[in-house]
Amino acid sequence: MRWERQRVGSGEDPALPLGLPEPAERGSGRAGLRLPEPVPIEAGTEDAYAIEVQAKSIINRVPGESAVPFGWTVNPYRGCGHACRYCFARRTHTYLDLDAGHDFDSKIVVKVNAGALLRKELAGPRWTGEAIAMGTNTDPYQRAEGRYRLMREIISALRDRANPFSILTKGTLILRDLDLIVQAAEVAPVSVAVSVGSIDEGLWRAVEPGAPSPRRRLDVVRRFADAGIGCSVLMAPILPGLSDGPEQIDAAVRELVAAGASSITPLLLHLRPGAREWFRGWLQREHPELVPMYSRLYRNGSYLPKSYQRDVLARVAEAKQRHGVRPPQVPRFREVAGAARTDAEVEEVRQLSLL
């Protein structure tokens, strides 16, 4: 596969290109890579390690048919130590001949040259300074970031070019870079959002075992509000039968408002291939009583029925009204390009565009 030659390695064998390990049998589940000497990282799984690569490009164009409110992304990592059972990005690990389950949680691909490469691409004659979204695939502030510190270089590069950007994260490591984000916001539009689907500590430990607790994420919201940047919250995902009850939603909205969230955007669980199988396996082990309900709700695809979505979104809207949430502001970045394929995707685009 193409990314094999990007691997950072010893290069001890003069017959092999620098960084290319000895060939392994194709279909090994490692994209032709032999298992590396582990580069340990603190993560949600005990055997997590990093696979370091030299990226060839770092600013990614979003396909025009994609129903998302941004045109360009930067993703310094592939795979995520947050180990969220439901993560929609799980399937992307299969493109590397790794699996969408445990490999996604534990084999973290690190683009070690991300900062320097971004500076080069931002300075290129073809770059026109459009907004860049981060955290759209895997979390840039997952635990590997504590070791590699790629985001500090990335934000510095964006600040120095006065380039607009947005960040969506569950990671409290973003507070380390608060100073740079404040500086960047003085010269360009900057948007920060934190994902908090529920404040239930037990549910968090079960479905997001490697992510910081909801209470710690609320502190991120509070710190950004205090800094004058403002922080929106993606209330996601809301899980059927687990976090979608009126009392659960009201408690979450109340805490988010108290933390100073500038806006709250609910998003219900969607289960795409890769995530669907991994989440279902967890559900069968931990909540077998909910399996029939999930089979019924998701029998037609990745999204919940429109009627179910409307009921839950109405609960969130009522809770926001009770607790005094202001109407969301107009999106800072460009309008959504392309048409969504389903009503559920239209709703998702509308919600994401509010971040």
Side-chain angles (χ1 to χ4, degrees), residues 278-354:
W278 191 245
F279 186 84
R280 183 180 179 86
W282 171 81
L283 200 67
Q284 289 173 328
R285 293 190 305 272
E286 302 297 329
H287 294 280
E289 74 283 0
L290 294 179
V291 170
M293 181 183 75
Y294 272 78
S295 297
R296 183 178 71 257
L297 290 174
Y298 291 96
R299 68 181 182 275
N300 292 326
S302 301
Y303 294 90
L304 288 161
K306 290 186 291 183
S307 59
Y308 194 95
Q309 293 189 54
R310 281 195 297 267
D311 288 346
V312 177
L313 294 176
R315 293 173 198 166
V316 177
E318 291 167 4
K320 289 165 64 174
Q321 187 174 17
R322 276 194 301 273
H323 297 292
V325 178
R326 292 174 299 175
Q329 297 178 348
V330 175
R332 291 190 178 190
F333 299 143
R334 71 173 181 85
E335 293 297 323
V336 179
R341 292 182 293 275
T342 68
D343 289 339
E345 288 174 323
V346 169
E347 177 63 18
E348 181 177 355
V349 170
R350 186 193 68 79
Q351 292 168 352
L352 288 174
S353 69
L354 301 179

Side-chain angles (χ1 to χ4, degrees), residues 25-344:
E25 182 181 355
R26 184 165 178 79
S28 63
R30 303 190 302 274
L33 295 172
R34 68 170 182 237
L35 286 174
E37 290 297 320
V39 180
I41 53 176
E42 182 186 2
T45 180
E46 292 181 357
D47 59 348
Y49 61 82
I51 300 172
E52 299 178 352
V53 301
Q54 292 281 341
K56 294 182 179 179
S57 63
I58 197 67
I59 302 178
N60 309 301
R61 179 191 287 275
V62 178
E65 65 273 14
S66 298
V68 292
F70 41 81
W72 303 89
T73 64
V74 165
N75 293 295
Y77 300 99
R78 298 186 69 162
C80 187
H82 288 341
C84 301
R85 311 287 184 187
Y86 51 75
C87 183
F88 73 90
R90 287 185 173 277
R91 191 179 184 182
T92 62
H93 241 44
T94 65
Y95 307 156
L96 308 178
D97 283 351
L98 299 169
D99 71 55
H102 187 64
D103 283 352
F104 181 85
D105 300 338
S106 61
K107 296 176 176 61
I108 311 302
V109 178
V110 183
K111 302 173 187 178
V112 293
N113 62 330
L117 186 56
L118 179 60
R119 283 192 180 275
K120 178 180 178 181
E121 293 185 3
L122 290 175
R126 295 183 178 180
W127 183 247
T128 59
E130 292 189 63
I132 291 175
M134 293 173 283
T136 61
N137 191 36
T138 58
D139 200 320
Y141 284 105
Q142 60 178 286
R143 296 189 182 191
E145 173 63 13
R147 176 187 180 94
Y148 287 96
R149 301 175 65 86
L150 300 181
M151 284 299 290
R152 195 156 182 87
E153 297 179 68
I154 288 170
I155 294 171
S156 295
L158 292 165
R159 175 204 60 191
D160 293 347
R161 300 294 299 191
N163 202 102
F165 64 87
S166 65
I167 301 173
L168 172 62
T169 185
K170 288 187 177 79
T172 55
L173 275 169
I174 193 173
L175 292 175
R176 179 203 63 195
D177 297 336
L178 178 57
D179 60 328
L180 291 179
I181 295 172
V182 170
Q183 293 169 18
E186 293 174 351
V187 296
V190 171
S191 176
V192 176
V194 173
S195 176
V196 185
S198 166
I199 61 168
D200 185 315
E201 295 279 320
L203 185 59
W204 152 64
R205 293 180 188 278
V207 299
E208 301 169 347
S213 74
R215 298 292 174 184
R216 293 179 62 199
R217 285 179 248 168
L218 289 174
D219 188 55
V220 172
V221 176
R222 194 172 291 111
R223 292 278 299 277
F224 272 91
D226 291 344
I229 295 294
C231 184
S232 58
V233 172
L234 186 63
M235 190 174 169
I238 299 174
L239 307 176
L242 294 168
S243 62
D244 62 344
E247 293 183 0
Q248 295 164 312
I249 287 175
D250 187 79
V253 171
R254 182 178 64 247
E255 295 286 347
L256 294 173
V257 172
S262 58
S263 67
I264 299 172
T265 303
L267 187 63
L268 279 76
L269 176 69
H270 58 275
L271 292 172
R272 298 176 186 172
R276 175 190 290 266
E277 296 80 7
W278 191 245
F279 186 84
R280 183 180 179 86
W282 171 81
L283 200 67
Q284 289 173 328
R285 293 190 305 272
E286 302 297 329
H287 294 280
E289 74 283 0
L290 294 179
V291 170
M293 181 183 75
Y294 272 78
S295 297
R296 183 178 71 257
L297 290 174
Y298 291 96
R299 68 181 182 275
N300 292 326
S302 301
Y303 294 90
L304 288 161
K306 290 186 291 183
S307 59
Y308 194 95
Q309 293 189 54
R310 281 195 297 267
D311 288 346
V312 177
L313 294 176
R315 293 173 198 166
V316 177
E318 291 167 4
K320 289 165 64 174
Q321 187 174 17
R322 276 194 301 273
H323 297 292
V325 178
R326 292 174 299 175
Q329 297 178 348
V330 175
R332 291 190 178 190
F333 299 143
R334 71 173 181 85
E335 293 297 323
V336 179
R341 292 182 293 275
T342 68
D343 289 339

Side-chain angles (χ1 to χ4, degrees), residues 1-8 17-20 54 56:
M1 297 187 58
R2 287 183 299 173
W3 78 295
E4 295 173 24
R5 296 182 179 273
Q6 298 167 237
R7 171 74 183 282
V8 177
L18 181 64
L20 180 63
Q54 292 281 341
K56 294 182 179 179

